[in-house]
Amino acid sequence: MTERQVWVFLLVHCPADTRNPLDSARLWPRVLQVVKDGVSSPPGVVLRPGESIQRAAERTGAALGIALPPPPLRLLAVDQQPATDAGQPEELAIFVDGGCAKEDTFTAPACDRHGVVWTPVEDLGRVALVHALRTQLLAVEPAMLVEGMPIACEDLDG
């Protein structure tokens, strides 16, 4: 049996800066990401055995020092990534609504290896994050993805 990790990621965004409508890079919200050893990813944790998704999201929020939107937790996207030849386990990523925060909510990192950044949409890197942001902002149905590509409900039967 293939090893699998289930991640619960928070999508926290910073509103667009509408003071300068000609700056197209600032017309979309930016997304909070955690930087570890120069690699950015959304804040999240591996789901523990028997742990609820709500509790995992609360752990992530507590680590960041932010309060989550009131329950129930809002699902934004689910993305399945297969195991890799390099020994990485299969990953199921669950993206939930972490709300909105001001850009100055987080202080500068204590060291260069760790920290947080506000990432523009065009630099997110992971397609599932873009789908999750779309769901968060437009209040559409959550995205179901395999390797970042949307799947239809009828595809789940096969």
Side-chain angles (χ1 to χ4, degrees), residues 6 8 46-56 59:
V6 178
V8 176
V46 173
L47 191 67
R48 295 173 178 161
E51 183 178 38
S52 71
I53 295 169
Q54 176 75 39
R55 180 64 193 117
R59 278 196 298 129

Side-chain angles (χ1 to χ4, degrees), residues 5-148:
Q5 286 187 336
V6 178
W7 283 83
V8 176
F9 292 111
L10 291 183
L11 180 68
V12 179
H13 76 275
C14 177
D17 182 357
T18 57
R19 291 175 291 186
N20 185 0
L22 297 178
D23 184 358
S24 62
R26 304 284 275 178
L27 293 178
W28 285 94
R30 289 169 312 287
V31 173
L32 180 71
Q33 295 207 77
V34 176
V35 179
K36 182 177 179 184
D37 293 326
V39 178
S40 300
S41 65
V45 295
V46 173
L47 191 67
R48 295 173 178 161
E51 183 178 38
S52 71
I53 295 169
Q54 176 75 39
R55 180 64 193 117
E58 289 168 355
R59 278 196 298 129
T60 304
L64 290 171
I66 62 170
L68 297 180
L73 200 57
R74 185 167 162 231
L75 176 68
L76 301 175
V78 176
D79 186 25
Q80 181 180 8
Q81 297 286 327
T84 65
D85 295 335
Q88 292 290 342
E90 177 184 10
E91 178 185 287
L92 186 65
I94 300 170
F95 295 86
V96 297
D97 191 349
C100 181
K102 294 179 182 176
E103 197 166 7
D104 62 357
T105 300
F106 303 96
T107 58
C111 70
D112 292 337
R113 290 185 56 211
H114 298 88
V116 294
V117 293
W118 290 104
T119 306
V121 172
E122 62 269 15
D123 295 335
L124 285 177
R126 188 166 181 169
V127 176
L129 272 174
V130 177
H131 283 281
L133 182 62
R134 178 181 169 269
T135 301
Q136 187 182 50
L137 296 177
L138 302 179
V140 295
E141 291 294 316
M144 301 296 287
L145 311 159
V146 173
E147 296 183 65

